[in-house]
């Protein structure tokens, strides 16, 4: 197992990196909301009641809660193994959630980071989860960063996995995945094998196809297979998933601990993004794991070790 040493980054980066200042401007981007302590005062949509699974090591996990959030096209099922490990090793209950438009959670035509984070804040309040650690991969990473910056009192610390607080184009794979999933749904396949064959030109790697096809189900006996998630809504939201709702770290900052975990073979957290991470999250630490973007599934043991080491450290 290869585990790369964490390194503490400078408190404030002196300058924004040019890559961050040359931000992607989206013609349909929503205006940036003013920073407030409460999402609900500025949100124009309703927070959705999120589905979740509690991992509490048969009731023995009594510590501060951990909330773990999947990435785009994922679900709470993706994080079962690591959630069980955290509950056992750390004796902390772990809530693996489905975000809006994913898994068993409700669907809504709005799918951006402010709405996603608003849902998570409502989840924390509903379940009275105080002093929580928020872990998120990819889409989930930007969701926990958004919530931490909007409401620093909502959590004790955050662990974003393979994403950075910048506007950056998604890998070209994600539009292909969305297109392939549309093709699958249009074909009304009768079997997983048939669906896999349709999806193969759009997702060459079998593990990725298997991941995407976990969203496929049969609404009723003998009916064609259909995706449980709203593919059209998520496809329309890809630009929003590339965006980040904050642009000025001089106005909003999360001064509690933050652990950024990145895959060294992934493009999403380049060295050029580290200065801006340091300005938004001045106490951030960094762990590099020898993997691609799917850090948790590719290197689960290294991921678990990094999180456990971070959370067992004293403030």
């Amino acid at each position: 197992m290869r585990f790369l040493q964490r390194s503490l980054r400078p408190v404030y980066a002196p300058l924004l990196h040019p890559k961050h200042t040359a931000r992607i401007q989206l013609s349909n981007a929503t205006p940036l909301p003013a920073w407030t302590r409460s999402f609900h005062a500025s949100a124009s949509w309703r927070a959705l009641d999120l589905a979740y699974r509690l991992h509490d090591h048969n009731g023995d996990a009594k510590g501060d809660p951990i909330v773990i959030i999947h990435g785009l096209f994922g679900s709470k099922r993706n994080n079962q193994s690591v959630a069980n490990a955290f509950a056992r090793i750390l004796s902390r209950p772990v809530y693996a959630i489905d975000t809006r438009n994913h898994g068993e959670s409700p669907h809504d035509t709005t799918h951006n980071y402010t709405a996603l984070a608003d849902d998570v804040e409502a989840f924390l309040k509903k379940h009275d989860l105080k002093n929580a650690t928020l872990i998120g991969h990819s889409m989930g990473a930007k969701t926990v960063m958004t919530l931490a910056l909007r409401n620093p009192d909502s959590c004790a610390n955050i662990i974003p996995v393979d994403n950075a607080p910048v506007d950056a184009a998604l890998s070209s794979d994600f539009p292909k995945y969305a297109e392939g999933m549309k093709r699958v749904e249009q074909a009304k396949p009768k079997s997983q094998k048939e669906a896999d064959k349709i999806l193969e030109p759009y997702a060459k790697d079998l593990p990725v196809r298997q991941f995407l096809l976990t969203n496929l189900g049969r609404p009723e006996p003998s009916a064609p297979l259909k995706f449980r998630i709203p593919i059209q809504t998520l496809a329309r939201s890809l630009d929003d998933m590339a965006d980040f709702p904050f642009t000025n770290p001089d106005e909003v900052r999360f001064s509690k601990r933050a652990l950024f975990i990145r895959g060294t073979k992934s493009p999403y957290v380049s060295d050029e993004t580290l200065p801006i991470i340091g300005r938004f999250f001045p106490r951030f630490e960094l762990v590099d794991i020898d993997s691609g973007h799917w850090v948790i599934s590719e290197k689960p043991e290294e991921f678990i070790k990094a999180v456990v080491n971070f959370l067992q450290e004293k403030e």
Side-chain angles (χ1 to χ4, degrees):
M1 180 168 64
R2 181 183 174 198
F3 182 74
L4 303 184
Q5 182 64 38
R6 238 178 345 198
S7 54
L8 188 63
R9 299 293 167 175
V11 172
Y12 296 112
L15 296 171
L16 283 176
H17 191 276
K19 181 176 180 179
H20 183 72
T21 58
R23 305 173 70 84
I24 299 171
Q25 298 299 321
L26 304 176
S27 60
N28 61 343
T30 54
L32 292 176
W35 180 67
T36 64
R37 283 289 184 181
S38 170
F39 274 23
H40 303 287
S42 59
S44 58
W45 47 79
R46 63 187 177 90
L48 302 183
D49 190 12
L50 302 179
Y52 71 99
R53 181 174 178 182
L54 174 61
H55 303 261
D56 62 358
H57 195 42
N58 297 318
D60 291 336
K62 304 291 188 182
D64 291 330
I66 295 171
V67 175
I68 186 165
I69 307 170
H70 59 80
L72 186 63
F73 304 135
S75 75
K76 60 184 180 294
R77 294 171 56 188
N78 304 143
N79 295 314
Q80 288 183 129
S81 296
V82 296
N84 283 329
F86 295 145
R88 183 182 70 255
I89 297 168
L90 296 167
S91 294
R92 296 176 60 173
V94 182
Y95 295 77
I97 68 174
D98 285 333
T99 68
R100 62 172 53 204
N101 296 316
H102 288 77
E104 298 174 319
S105 283
H107 298 175
D108 193 274
T109 54
T110 298
H111 195 88
N112 58 44
Y113 288 115
T114 310
L116 289 164
D118 197 50
D119 292 341
V120 176
E121 186 189 37
F123 181 87
L124 295 174
K125 290 180 178 178
K126 176 180 177 179
H127 296 278
D128 196 27
L129 303 183
K130 296 181 172 63
N131 206 36
T133 292
L134 305 182
I135 303 174
H137 171 251
S138 193
M139 177 186 76
K142 280 191 171 180
T143 299
V144 302
M145 285 186 273
T146 300
L147 178 52
L149 292 172
R150 285 291 299 264
N151 186 356
D153 293 334
S154 66
C155 58
N157 45 57
I158 63 169
I159 303 177
V161 183
D162 214 54
N163 219 333
V166 296
D167 290 354
L170 291 179
S171 160
S172 60
D173 290 336
F174 282 94
K176 289 179 186 174
Y177 299 159
E179 183 60 30
M181 294 167 82
K182 287 184 197 174
R183 299 288 184 185
V184 169
E185 197 150 78
Q186 290 166 1
K188 300 181 179 180
K190 296 288 189 178
S191 68
Q192 285 272 345
K193 184 177 180 181
E194 184 183 347
D196 181 73
K197 187 174 181 180
I198 297 166
L199 188 59
E200 187 174 4
Y202 303 91
K204 299 294 186 184
D205 296 335
L206 177 60
V208 173
R209 295 200 304 278
Q210 290 173 332
F211 160 72
L212 296 173
L213 292 175
T214 60
N215 293 293
L216 208 57
R218 207 178 299 278
E220 56 189 44
S222 75
L225 292 170
K226 183 177 175 60
F227 284 106
R228 302 181 185 91
I229 59 177
I231 302 300
Q232 297 289 349
T233 295
L234 294 175
R236 287 194 302 268
S237 302
L238 290 178
D239 281 347
D240 287 320
M241 295 296 91
D243 202 359
F244 189 68
F246 295 99
T247 60
N248 189 351
D250 293 328
E251 293 179 355
V252 40
R253 186 172 295 123
F254 182 73
S255 60
K256 300 177 184 178
R257 298 178 72 215
L259 173 65
F260 281 71
I261 299 176
R262 66 176 175 177
T264 56
K265 299 173 184 175
S266 169
Y268 284 102
V269 188
S270 65
D271 287 344
E272 289 81 4
T273 65
L274 299 182
I276 193 64
I277 291 174
R279 293 187 65 188
F280 277 122
F281 304 96
R283 295 181 64 190
F284 93 99
E285 300 170 50
L286 178 70
V287 165
D288 286 341
I289 291 180
D290 184 19
S291 74
H293 179 60
W294 312 95
V295 180
I296 299 173
S297 60
E298 290 181 42
K299 295 294 179 73
E301 291 184 3
E302 294 185 24
F303 171 73
I304 291 167
K305 182 175 180 179
V307 171
V308 168
N309 286 349
F310 175 75
L311 293 179
Q312 285 181 337
E313 285 182 0
K314 301 294 184 184
E315 284 286 343

